[in-house]
Amino acid sequence: MVPHLVTALSGPLLDLEEKILAATPAIERWFRLEWQEHTPPFYCSVDMRNAGYKLAPVDTNLFPGGFNMLATEMLPLSVQAAMAAIDKYCPDARNLLLIPEVTQRHATYWQNVARLMQIFRQTGLHVRLGSLSPDVTEPTPIALPDGNMLVVEPLVRSPNGRRVGLKDFDPCTILLNNDLSAGIPDILQNIHEQSLLPPLHAGWALRRKSNHLNAYDEVCKKFGKLIGVDPWMLNPLHAKCDAVNFRTGEGYDCLAANIDALLSKIKKKYKEYGMREQKPFVIVKPDAGTYGTSILTIKDSSEIKALTQAQRDKMTVIKDGKEVTDFIIQEGVPTFESIEHAVAEPVVYMIDRYVVGGFYRVHGERGVDQNLNAPGSQYVPLAFAQQHAVPDLKAKPGTAAPNRFYVYGVVARLALLAASLEMERTDPNPEVY
């Protein structure tokens, strides 16, 4: 199933698709060589925007939820990728401890956890759930809509203080599906005898989007040179402002100046490509954090000073009640993909270096220039009727689902490679690499 694409038969993106397809052997070889030098994140999801004139990642999540949204046809590939990922860290692994989010209360998230457990059980691992919540003091059942049941248990530290597990469960590997927005809990500190995946510095307690965007700039320049395209076709322009307080107005000058500068750069790019009708905009969002909170769509820097008190309050706090003062300004990439007249954006999932599927995030009440990761969004699995990794080189550009999904996968892997560089450069123990 391919959603109706407004820009399907026009625009530079078709040229980009053609160039990527024509360069497939070189692209795959380039990725293989890069993965010899760098270790991909254990798993990752990438939110993308297809604007017709560019295809770019706008968010890279190293603690992805939503595995339950993937097409069931992709489950075998997910299991194979999970096997490859586990083999890197603990080839003789028997037990896997999965640590989910603490604050999630809705059934959809727990269905994601159940799907992850299913994937890793099919790799031959015993999988159990350990909770960081202080309220979980004994095995606690969680009912799923399909009638199945999950059980979360309290984490315990081993007598020597060097391992984490459950009362009667000693795992080789600990997989976090908790992005650590609330900070790094003591029980996860100084674990020396187990693989903790992703590493603690991948969590939002330490991670910053600006580091990822800087790494992605480098990756895009190399890739653009490889296939002969303008890196801007794949990369949103960006800037950063620290010490911004939306309640007091502190830092507004930095925001306004960077917004004006970014809008000017975007206008120059639009002019370069003859896009006179396109109106530039930027997205202001926290340098750390996820879940689509504290995000503004801005078309003129004057809008910053015109925010209502409610909008200001919303911009000061992110997930788990954490106050935020550091922001990034990112080129706005509109989405021209739609499903039944509702705007949509692709989200691609990877385990290790392998694309394992994805879905369209769809929102019937949002515009093409707005954040779709908001209440009311729905999800349509990317139905890979044909193998997404095998493009149809004879198809007319813009008409073949496998080709579009392959291109999605290429751009998502660029973000994955950037995340790998980001993790290396921000690792407090770099000698591991």
Side-chain angles (χ1 to χ4, degrees), residues 202-240:
W204 289 122
L206 298 174
R207 187 184 178 213
R208 296 295 176 265
K209 294 175 186 177
S210 50
N211 291 328
H212 177 78
L213 296 176
N214 291 335
Y216 189 74
D217 286 346
E218 294 179 38
V219 169
C220 263
K221 285 177 183 175
K222 290 174 68 175
F223 184 78
K225 188 175 181 181
L226 175 73
I227 69 169
V229 301
D230 183 349
W232 177 76
M233 293 284 190
L234 303 158
N235 190 9
L237 302 170
H238 61 90
K240 179 185 175 186

Side-chain angles (χ1 to χ4, degrees), residues 4 47 93 98 127 139-140 152 180 193 200 252 257 302 306 310 320 323 326 333 340 351 361 372 374 397 427:
H4 172 59
D47 294 7
L98 178 59
V127 186
T140 304
V152 292
L180 305 178
E193 297 179 355
L200 294 178
Y252 274 17
S302 62
D320 292 328
E323 295 227 351
D326 297 346
V333 182
E340 295 180 357
I351 298 177
R361 182 183 286 118
L372 303 188
D427 191 345

